[in-house]
Amino acid sequence: MGIPWDFANRYNDNFDIEEKKAAKREKTLKIWGIVLIIIAIIIGIIYWNMPKWSDISESTVFREEQVQATAEEIIRLYSDDEYEAVVAYMTDDMKAVLNAPTLSISKAQLVTEDFGELQSFGQMDISEAKQRRKRFAMVQVSVSYTNTSVAYTLTFDADMKLAGFYVK
């Protein structure tokens, strides 16, 4: 029969031009189909990982009053430099990243280390986020002190543990 390469070339030379065009078109369609399927899967994964926001009043996991009270308590503790008490509210993942000395250092790096007396809490924006079958409550509030104003963003998991703490 000869060398396989020569045999394949003779076999391919026997195809007419229309068959070659049809084979090329079929191959191109298969490649584009695979590419589109991969893109659809990637888009699905991205959508699944993105948080979906809703109003806290529609939540079946969180009560708005409880979230607000816990957020106020944590902010008061942070304002009074009671960092160990703030850490007690945190999830285990948060405790691995933030601890009392780290909170102290972060407060010292703000515009002013001495906030002064806590004057008032601004309007609390509370919402629920669902991400990868997990639910979180997020609170954003501006707090007025005698020497400055500070914006807090706190995130709670379904067990009302502090899962995120951002101060600016």
Side-chain angles (χ1 to χ4, degrees), residues 88-137:
Y89 276 97
M90 294 181 181
T91 64
D92 292 336
D93 291 340
M94 278 284 292
K95 288 177 185 176
V97 177
L98 275 178
N99 52 32
T102 308
L103 286 172
S104 175
I105 291 168
S106 71
K107 188 173 182 182
Q109 292 176 346
L110 293 172
V111 174
T112 177
E113 187 175 342
D114 181 26
F115 290 177
E117 289 291 318
L118 192 146
Q119 298 294 312
S120 65
F121 288 92
Q123 176 66 35
M124 284 200 182
D125 295 323
I126 305 173
S127 57
E128 180 185 47
K130 181 181 177 188
Q131 184 176 23
R132 293 190 197 164
R133 296 186 184 132
K134 292 182 182 178
R135 294 186 183 261
F136 299 95

Side-chain angles (χ1 to χ4, degrees), residues 24-99:
K24 188 173 182 176
R25 188 172 34 252
E26 185 178 332
K27 183 178 177 183
T28 303
L29 288 174
K30 283 181 183 178
I31 291 171
W32 276 106
I34 291 169
V35 168
L36 290 175
I37 288 171
I38 290 171
I39 289 172
I41 290 171
I42 291 171
I43 289 171
I45 290 171
I46 289 171
Y47 176 78
W48 187 67
N49 285 319
M50 287 178 56
K52 283 82 175 167
W53 297 97
S54 62
D55 190 50
I56 196 74
S57 62
E58 299 169 5
S59 176
T60 59
V61 177
F62 300 102
R63 286 191 355 239
E64 184 173 3
E65 300 81 22
Q66 181 186 16
V67 173
Q68 184 173 350
T70 306
E72 286 179 4
E73 176 65 20
I74 290 171
I75 291 169
R76 286 183 199 283
L77 291 170
Y78 182 75
S79 301
D80 295 337
D81 299 333
E82 298 198 26
Y83 306 119
E84 290 293 337
V86 173
V87 170
Y89 276 97
M90 294 181 181
T91 64
D92 292 336
D93 291 340
M94 278 284 292
K95 288 177 185 176
V97 177
L98 275 178
N99 52 32

